[in-house]
Amino acid sequence: MRKALTYPSHTELSSMSMRRKKHVWTALFLILLFAWSLWQTESSLLDFINGFSNMFDLLIQMVPPNWAYFDNVVPPMLDTIRMALLGTTIGAILAIPFALLSASNVFKNKALYYPIRFILNLIRTIPELLLAAIFVAILGLGPLPGIFALGIFSMGIIAKLTYEATEGIDPGPLEAMTAVGANKIQWIAYSVVPQVTPYYISFVLYALEINVRAAAILGLVGAGGIGEYYDKTLGFLEYDKVSTIIICTLLVVLAIDYVSMKLREKLL
Amino acid sequence: MIEFKQVSKIYPNGVVGLDNINLTIKKGEFVVIVGLSGAGKSTFLRSINRLHEITSGEIIIDNTSITKAKGKQLLKIRRDIGMIFQSFNLVKRSTVIRNVLAGRVGYHSTMRTLLGLFPPEDKKLAMRALERVNIIDKAYSRSDQLSGGQQQRVSIARALAQEAKIILADEPVASLDPLTTVQVLEDLKTINVELGITLVVNLHSIELARQYATRIIGLQEGRVVFDGPVEQATDERFKEIYGQPFEVKNNEESVNLPISH
């Protein structure tokens, strides 16, 4: 039996060509946007290509790393980890009331949870480097402004993730605790907290991972930690020392990520 | 004693939940509420402990109006009313004993319960409650390791530990198999007979209702269409009221197992 050949009807043809036209326009628009951005920022692809040789020079200067410098790197690296730990702890504690107040199944009042969520969104729009720069201006140089910056930054992340997890918990136990005659605090402690705790701990660990990375660059704005050493060694063009710092940071970040990942796997 | 005085409930979308209900449930009764899905059984039950607000009328529990109760007084009335749910409503990640002790929070200060410092008498009470429903060996297991029937017995233990005078049960056996259904209803019956606790239970099987209830209330579109002792709740009578064979034929509920005494 011969298969009948079907040709696209007139309307199908026109819709196909319409779609093709749309693709062309989209591509054209993206190319124009790219070119316009290059032109406005006065950057040229030529510079990038010419820079390649510099990049190789730099890489050559970076090897071998200056292992003797390792001893100088360890104390600020430990400082960086301590900053991340303190910042995450502050953020984790501050996040608890914010998360509960933002969850619509815990506090049913829109006039309460919308403003709180708005504040959380506002906090999360500020990059941690900017936060650190602001705290440096307030508190002066050193790790303290870095710790506060990380605290506020991670509070935003932990609170947001936790309130979303809270809104997804089983409503059954909530109803049961209302029926038991529990007051609001008991109600939260016995039906919300046990359900949301594993998520919360997982988010705190996740924030710690991010904070170790963030803490490593906060020194660039004078907020303590290993970042100051990046700034210094790059300034003096001591690239062998820079590579020592990079390797050290890499090891710490990988170790913390690994431990945190394993812990979180156990939790959920 | 639970008194309904001209109780009506109209949902914001205009659906009538309860339509002018007047009745009294006396202490020690085992009342089963029957009716088709959407007849208002759940609304009826939840209005008793004010998990649902009524739009007009008044509900009086042991001479105190729960409808007018505010703040602490409302919590205190609720403390005396235990509740059992179709989906058990235990915190699955918590241990059995902790779920049972959760029934005690109404008796202690916020601080004390936050720290989990229940007095030894409370722990004994919780253990006795678990013993009564035959599940004491699971006291320190995590609740999600228990089967459905076992979880429902834990929730009965919670209501017992609460020292409730009234227990409301909303479709307590709807997610259980026939054998566990009988066990759970037997437990409720024993509690009712031995401890004199008033029971108000929603079921959608008239068969089970006749086996366990002392009084049956039939609801239809929020109205009471039958209210009387079990002997009057005959198939003919229900056919007359509902205009169709009432029994919702559903393998789980219609299996009629012998009661062990």
Side-chain angles (χ1 to χ4, degrees):
Chain A
M1 221 170 83
R2 240 187 99 193
K3 235 185 214 164
L5 273 172
T6 53
Y7 293 100
S9 71
H10 181 71
T11 49
E12 272 174 333
L13 262 180
S14 72
S15 87
M16 265 164 71
S17 70
M18 283 264 283
R19 227 179 299 154
R20 202 169 298 147
K21 251 186 210 159
K22 225 190 261 172
H23 289 320
V24 171
W25 280 112
T26 313
L28 215 63
F29 175 74
L30 287 176
I31 291 165
L32 272 173
L33 197 68
F34 184 74
W36 178 73
S37 304
L38 272 182
W39 179 59
Q40 283 290 322
T41 55
E42 294 173 3
S43 43
S44 83
L45 284 171
L46 263 175
D47 285 350
F48 180 67
I49 295 157
N50 292 337
F52 256 87
S53 57
N54 290 340
M55 207 191 284
F56 285 115
D57 283 349
L58 185 71
L59 280 177
I60 289 160
Q61 287 181 57
M62 280 176 112
V63 272
N66 184 345
W67 296 120
Y69 194 59
F70 195 76
D71 289 346
N72 301 47
V73 175
V74 170
M77 199 65 232
L78 287 176
D79 256 0
T80 310
I81 298 171
R82 288 179 200 123
M83 280 168 62
L85 279 172
L86 287 169
T88 312
T89 310
I90 293 172
I93 294 166
L94 288 178
I96 295 170
F98 275 91
L100 289 173
L101 290 168
S102 302
S104 59
N105 54 346
V106 178
F107 290 96
K108 295 185 172 67
N109 190 350
K110 276 187 188 142
L112 187 71
Y113 64 76
Y114 276 130
I116 301 275
R117 284 183 197 180
F118 180 73
I119 295 169
L120 281 182
N121 285 333
L122 212 63
I123 289 171
R124 279 181 305 112
T125 56
I126 312 172
E128 70 269 26
L129 262 185
L130 182 57
L131 271 176
I134 293 168
F135 277 114
V136 167
I138 300 168
L139 300 166
L141 295 170
L144 193 66
I147 292 166
F148 279 126
L150 292 176
I152 301 291
F153 175 70
S154 44
M155 186 276 268
I157 302 175
I158 299 169
K160 160 96 173 166
L161 292 171
T162 308
Y163 100 68
E164 282 173 353
T166 305
E167 292 195 331
I169 61 175
D170 177 7
L174 310 184
E175 199 185 17
M177 283 317 285
T178 308
V180 153
N183 65 33
K184 194 79 189 180
I185 297 170
Q186 293 171 329
W187 183 83
I188 292 171
Y190 279 80
S191 61
V192 180
V193 171
Q195 289 196 73
V196 93
T197 302
Y199 295 98
Y200 169 74
I201 296 173
S202 155
F203 299 146
V204 171
L205 289 169
Y206 172 64
L208 179 68
E209 288 173 36
I210 296 176
N211 278 349
V212 172
R213 255 165 280 185
I217 55 161
L218 286 185
L220 294 178
V221 294
I226 195 78
E228 283 170 17
Y229 286 71
Y230 273 111
D231 206 21
K232 219 165 19 186
T233 49
L234 279 169
F236 286 115
L237 311 176
E238 297 168 310
Y239 294 117
D240 54 340
K241 289 183 180 173
V242 173
S243 58
T244 311
I245 305 175
I246 291 176
I247 290 167
C248 193
T249 313
L250 194 76
L251 288 177
V252 168
V253 169
L254 282 178
I256 294 206
D257 275 14
Y258 179 77
V259 172
S260 162
M261 194 186 73
K262 283 287 157 200
L263 282 174
R264 288 199 282 142
E265 269 174 16
K266 282 251 161 65
L267 273 168
L268 296 177
Chain B
M1 202 161 76
I2 307 163
E3 292 166 80
F4 277 70
K5 290 184 173 168
Q6 294 168 350
V7 173
S8 290
K9 158 100 186 175
I10 298 161
Y11 284 97
N13 61 8
V15 172
V16 177
L18 298 174
D19 187 1
N20 192 27
I21 292 187
N22 288 288
L23 55 86
T24 303
I25 296 170
K26 287 194 282 295
K27 186 178 159 35
E29 280 193 278
F30 192 127
V31 179
V32 170
I33 317 290
V34 294
L36 303 166
S37 310
K41 297 189 301 259
S42 187
T43 312
F44 178 90
L45 209 67
R46 279 173 168 73
S47 69
I48 296 175
N49 59 356
R50 238 176 96 182
L51 287 185
H52 280 358
E53 297 286 347
I54 53 174
T55 32
S56 65
E58 194 174 14
I59 295 173
I60 294 164
I61 314 281
D62 291 333
N63 302 319
T64 318
S65 166
I66 192 169
T67 313
K68 287 180 184 151
K70 284 195 193 86
K72 277 197 174 157
Q73 204 193 359
L74 173 64
L75 298 185
K76 215 168 167 192
I77 300 173
R78 278 184 180 154
R79 193 180 75 182
D80 291 338
I81 307 174
M83 192 156 190
I84 292 159
F85 303 84
Q86 175 176 349
S87 48
F88 326 130
N89 291 0
L90 303 175
V91 176
K92 294 193 180 64
R93 301 182 52 89
S94 298
T95 57
V96 165
I97 188 82
R98 192 175 160 84
N99 270 298
V100 178
L101 282 170
R104 297 296 303 164
V105 296
Y107 291 93
H108 303 295
S109 69
T110 306
M111 206 55 212
R112 190 158 195 169
T113 49
L114 276 188
L115 299 171
L117 296 172
F118 291 97
E121 308 89 76
D122 276 27
K123 282 176 196 153
K124 271 186 217 148
L125 190 65
M127 284 310 226
R128 271 207 306 278
L130 285 171
E131 207 171 2
R132 183 170 273 282
V133 291
N134 257 325
I135 203 158
I136 194 155
D137 52 320
K138 300 279 183 192
Y140 294 98
S141 304
R142 242 174 76 154
S143 309
D144 53 6
Q145 290 168 349
L146 273 58
S147 69
Q150 290 173 324
Q151 287 191 43
Q152 193 60 298
R153 272 136 73 195
V154 173
S155 87
I156 295 172
R158 175 171 61 192
L160 287 176
Q162 198 181 325
E163 294 184 301
K165 297 183 181 73
I166 298 165
I167 291 179
L168 312 173
D170 188 24
E171 299 282 0
V173 293
S175 20
L176 302 178
D177 60 67
L179 194 70
T180 16
T181 292
V182 172
Q183 284 170 350
V184 164
L185 287 172
E186 282 294 315
D187 279 339
L188 291 178
K189 187 76 195 169
T190 317
I191 288 163
N192 169 249
V193 174
E194 289 179 10
L195 305 176
I197 295 172
T198 312
L199 268 143
V200 187
V201 182
N202 283 350
L203 290 177
H204 58 265
S205 154
I206 185 76
E207 219 45 65
L208 287 172
R210 271 196 289 249
Q211 279 179 41
Y212 293 97
T214 56
R215 172 181 172 188
I216 293 177
I217 294 172
L219 289 180
Q220 191 178 37
E221 289 167 3
R223 277 173 299 113
V224 175
V225 289
F226 178 89
D227 185 357
V230 180
E231 303 79 58
Q232 287 175 23
T234 56
D235 280 341
E236 296 74 47
R237 185 76 194 276
F238 271 78
K239 199 173 172 181
E240 216 176 278
I241 295 167
Y242 289 99
Q244 56 177 308
F246 173 74
E247 186 84 37
V248 183
K249 283 288 176 199
N250 175 326
N251 293 338
E252 279 173 20
E253 279 98 17
S254 54
V255 175
N256 195 351
L257 283 160
I259 314 163
S260 52
H261 280 292

